[in-house]
């Protein structure tokens, strides 16, 4: 089922003060602190530029998986992975071609160890921490360890001053929007069932954060 954020965003009551475009000074400080915490950072001026950065970042023949991410949809990556001119192994296409439910679920678990796992995030603190949550864990499960390389793409609207603000943003911005999306797509409520805080990346060059100077995702 194809969805646009406009299909459900108007039904969500969010804290708009935690969903504003960050200033250039804030972006610079956030990049500095993310890098100090071991994350590689790329700053892109637009969604198109972010997609181009991903295209150049992922090598040919790599296995590629993504968790659900409105941001990845908005920059065109999800469509490109499925239909684009690349030499990657698209694990989502393989997974969703499996008819057997048990085998498909097993393949989803195996995909957590992809060469490159891409997804979004729900909050980024200026102090250099990342916050995300899932109902099932199928997106954030790869982030801490399983995938060989992780690429997190985010609009700068997700940057907030502190880790506490990032956790508040998860509750008051990301969850209300994801809940409306889930009800629209699946007919069920979402839940902050599994929550992740990334304070540091200790493996050099493993996790890349792509910050886009646009209002993207939630």
């Amino acid at each position: 089922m194809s969805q646009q954020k406009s299909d459900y965003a108007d039904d969500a009551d969010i804290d708009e003060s935690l969903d504003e475009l960050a200033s250039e000074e804030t972006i610079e400080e956030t990049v500095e602190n993310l890098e100090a915490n071991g994350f590689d950072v790329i700053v892109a001026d637009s969604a198109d530029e972010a997609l181009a950065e991903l295209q150049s970042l992922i090598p040919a023949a790599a296995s590629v998986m993504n968790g659900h991410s409105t941001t990845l949809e908005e920059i065109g990556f999800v469509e490109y992975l499925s239909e684009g001119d690349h030499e990657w192994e698209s694990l989502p296409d393989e997974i969703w071609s499996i008819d057997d439910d048990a085998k498909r679920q097993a393949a989803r678990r195996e995909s957590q160890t992809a060469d490159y796992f891409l997804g979004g995030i729900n909050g980024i603190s200026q102090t250099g921490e990342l916050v995300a949550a899932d109902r099932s864990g199928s997106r954030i499960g790869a982030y801490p360890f399983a995938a060989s390389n992780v690429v997190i793409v985010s609009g700068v609207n997700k940057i907030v001053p502190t880790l506490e603000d990032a956790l508040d943003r998860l509750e008051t911005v990301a969850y209300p929007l994801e809940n409306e999306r889930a009800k629209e797509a699946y007919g069920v409520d979402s839940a902050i069932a599994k929550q992740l805080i990334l304070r540091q990346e200790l493996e050099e060059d493993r996790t890349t954060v792509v910050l886009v100077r646009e209002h993207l995702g939630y």
Side-chain angles (χ1 to χ4, degrees):
M1 178 180 180
S2 176
Q3 284 182 293
Q4 300 292 324
K5 192 160 58 175
S6 58
D7 294 337
Y8 54 85
D10 288 345
D11 295 324
D13 182 16
I14 70 169
D15 182 350
E16 295 184 359
S17 71
L18 295 175
D19 196 38
E20 299 175 344
L21 289 177
S23 68
E24 193 59 33
E25 181 180 357
T26 295
I27 294 170
E28 290 176 2
E29 181 180 348
T30 303
V31 170
E32 181 178 335
N33 288 325
L34 285 169
E35 291 178 339
N37 287 343
F39 302 102
D40 295 336
V41 183
I42 296 170
V43 180
D45 288 333
S46 66
D48 288 344
E49 184 178 317
L51 178 58
E53 291 283 359
L54 298 182
Q55 291 166 340
S56 63
L57 181 66
I58 304 171
S63 61
V64 179
M65 182 63 185
N66 64 278
H68 176 266
S69 165
T70 298
T71 302
L72 290 182
E73 292 173 347
E74 289 175 332
I75 70 170
F77 179 81
V78 173
E79 181 179 2
Y80 180 79
L81 179 60
S82 180
E83 302 176 8
D85 182 16
H86 59 74
E87 298 179 14
W88 309 327
E89 179 186 4
S90 175
L91 296 183
D93 288 327
E94 295 178 10
I95 289 167
W96 298 114
S97 69
I98 299 171
D99 291 331
D100 182 271
D101 289 345
K103 290 180 180 179
R104 185 170 59 252
Q105 184 72 344
R108 291 182 71 193
R109 284 198 161 90
E110 290 173 6
S111 73
Q112 301 288 298
T113 62
D115 295 331
Y116 281 79
F117 194 101
L118 291 89
I121 206 77
N122 301 125
I124 302 174
S125 69
Q126 283 178 239
T127 48
E129 296 95 1
L130 308 173
V131 171
D134 261 348
R135 187 174 187 269
S136 69
S138 62
R139 175 179 64 144
I140 63 174
Y143 289 2
F145 181 78
S148 297
N149 297 275
V150 174
V151 183
I152 292 170
V153 185
S154 174
V156 297
N157 53 300
K158 299 182 186 179
I159 299 174
V160 292
T162 68
L163 176 57
E164 183 177 356
D165 292 324
L167 292 167
D168 285 346
R169 189 184 190 283
L170 171 62
E171 298 273 358
T172 64
V173 178
Y175 173 71
L177 285 162
E178 174 60 17
N179 191 49
E180 293 300 331
R181 185 195 74 85
K183 289 191 291 186
E184 183 79 17
Y186 314 124
V188 298
D189 287 336
S190 187
I192 302 176
K194 299 175 183 180
Q195 184 171 305
L196 177 68
I197 300 173
L198 294 174
R199 298 174 184 268
Q200 288 183 300
E201 174 55 79
L202 302 180
E203 185 176 339
E204 188 175 359
D205 297 330
R206 177 179 177 267
T207 299
T208 300
V209 179
V210 179
L211 292 176
V212 190
R213 289 187 176 96
E214 289 189 7
H215 195 289
L216 297 169
Y218 50 82

